[in-house]
Amino acid sequence: MSGAVPSGFLALPRVDTALVREVEDNLEKVESLLRESVTSSDPLLTEAASHLLEAGGKRFRATLVLLAAHFGDPTVPDLIPAAAVVELTHVATLYHDDVMDEAELRRGEPSANQRWGNSIAILTGDYVFARASEMLADLGTEAVRLQAVTFARLVQGQILETSGPPEGADPLDHYLRVISDKTASLIASSAEFGGMFGKVDPETVGTVTRACDALGMAFQLADDILDVASESMDSGKTPGTDLREGVLTLPMFYALRSRDASDARLKSLLGRPLDDDEAEEALALLRVHPAMAEAGATLRGWADKARAELVTLPQVPAREAFESLCDYVVERSG
């Protein structure tokens, strides 16, 4: 692993340079701890557990931990392991997700299940989460409790996604609930960890946590929109992956609600596995459909909800950085 700090909000404009330097310095420490934490006496386990960390990623959740602490005391030593814990938890879920989704790529590299098989990938995910839990045990019972609640939501979100909406339920509401559990919960908990260990006052912790919950919703919606809108593999996966796999996401839900007779062909392609030709046809139709603009408006609504929380906080560099992250999440969807 190179040890280079991946770029998250740090590459964005309008962020205080002193804050950037301080968070960058701490991200380097987090990165070193991540490398150390997945090292095992077994070479195969070390290689497999290092696989996704070496593939990169923005360390978005670790950054949120460090950033939230700037509403209090950002020099507390426990912030580094706390940031590593949330990042390891996220990475552990990716190993399991890729097995369940039969994914071939993750962050532009062959997924662990493709490289070593499902059994090794599942066990590696378990190992990474175990290392996170071991680190967590040194951070106190409140941290363990928060992690347990968050992990339960992550698992619940995966089960909800796998089982699909129950009979009579609104599929769009079910989809948003999955995002809330599977993505937004850990992003919100990242901010809560930062506030907890940064000794931030409880009211501010609650505000930043709620803001990051909404930001987490926007983050996943942006990913889902980008899967349709992108014409490159910048996101780390082939554009139209969701379409090909028959997975319904926000733009598709909105397209399916159309009553325009000219949308019949597009609607016939959504929600079922597609071959390459069908996927390209569906992408072409969906990219120019009004559903994309409607999905973008929903995404902006979640980002605005995060901003509405943030605007109640003091006008300090950390708040401005969080506000820049709201802009970043919206802009990346385009």
Side-chain angles (χ1 to χ4, degrees):
M1 191 181 298
S2 66
V5 178
S7 62
F9 89 98
L10 306 175
L12 300 179
R14 304 186 303 280
V15 178
D16 179 77
T17 54
L19 176 62
V20 168
R21 284 195 298 271
E22 187 168 343
V23 175
E24 281 182 336
D25 288 345
N26 281 333
L27 278 175
E28 288 181 354
K29 296 174 185 176
V30 172
E31 201 70 18
S32 295
L33 186 54
L34 290 173
R35 293 198 302 273
E36 177 186 332
S37 69
V38 297
T39 300
S40 164
S41 59
D42 180 76
L44 173 58
L45 184 53
T46 298
E47 183 182 8
S50 301
H51 181 64
L52 289 185
L53 291 175
E54 290 178 345
K58 296 180 177 61
R59 304 295 184 257
F60 185 70
R61 293 152 189 83
T63 298
L64 294 178
V65 175
L66 301 173
L67 186 57
H70 278 264
F71 290 103
D73 180 2
T75 66
V76 176
D78 280 348
L79 281 166
I80 303 305
V85 162
V86 298
E87 200 62 44
L88 287 172
T89 300
H90 172 58
V91 169
T93 67
L94 297 183
Y95 282 96
H96 293 165
D97 284 355
D98 286 347
V99 170
M100 297 190 70
D101 297 341
E102 299 180 356
E104 296 182 0
L105 293 175
R106 170 65 69 176
R107 295 173 175 170
E109 298 291 334
S111 60
N113 46 296
Q114 284 292 314
R115 185 165 177 182
W116 291 288
N118 287 344
S119 295
I120 294 294
I122 291 170
L123 291 169
T124 301
D126 292 344
Y127 174 74
V128 172
F129 184 68
R131 296 313 304 265
S133 299
E134 182 180 353
M135 204 179 299
L136 191 67
D138 294 328
L139 296 178
T141 55
E142 284 304 307
V144 172
R145 182 177 293 108
L146 174 57
Q147 174 76 343
V149 170
T150 303
F151 196 69
R153 286 191 65 190
L154 292 171
V155 173
Q156 175 176 282
Q158 184 63 68
I159 290 175
L160 288 172
E161 183 178 52
T162 303
S163 63
E167 186 176 353
D170 183 337
L172 177 55
D173 287 345
H174 181 85
Y175 160 79
L176 293 173
R177 185 181 174 193
V178 168
I179 290 177
S180 176
D181 284 342
K182 198 177 165 188
T183 300
S185 64
L186 185 56
I187 288 176
S189 292
S190 298
E192 191 169 357
F193 264 114
M196 178 190 300
F197 289 105
K199 301 177 182 177
V200 178
D201 68 272
E203 184 177 351
T204 299
V205 173
T207 299
V208 178
T209 301
R210 289 190 300 273
C212 283
D213 185 74
L215 183 65
M217 295 293 294
F219 187 87
Q220 184 59 55
L221 292 176
D223 261 6
D224 291 348
I225 294 170
L226 193 61
D227 186 62
V228 176
S230 176
E231 296 186 8
S232 71
M233 288 186 60
D234 292 342
S235 63
K237 64 179 183 178
T238 305
T241 296
D242 294 328
L243 274 168
R244 284 179 171 82
E245 296 176 353
V247 175
L248 293 174
T249 59
L250 191 62
M252 300 175 223
F253 280 115
Y254 287 152
L256 285 169
R257 291 183 173 184
S258 171
R259 296 183 178 181
D260 190 328
S262 65
D263 290 330
R265 175 56 180 167
L266 172 59
K267 291 164 74 172
S268 75
L269 294 169
L270 301 179
R272 64 177 177 85
L274 305 177
D275 61 30
D276 288 344
D277 290 339
E278 288 176 323
E280 289 304 316
E281 181 185 3
L283 274 175
L285 292 170
L286 191 54
R287 282 171 176 163
V288 298
H289 195 279
M292 292 295 288
E294 190 176 359
T298 299
L299 161 62
R300 290 190 294 276
W302 281 105
D304 288 344
K305 186 174 180 180
R307 290 189 187 95
E309 293 286 352
L310 295 169
V311 76
T312 66
L313 298 174
Q315 187 74 38
V316 296
R319 170 184 150 179
E320 293 168 357
F322 274 111
E323 290 171 336
S324 289
L325 274 174
C326 293
D327 297 336
Y328 161 75
V329 167
V330 170
E331 290 164 4
R332 70 190 283 265
S333 68

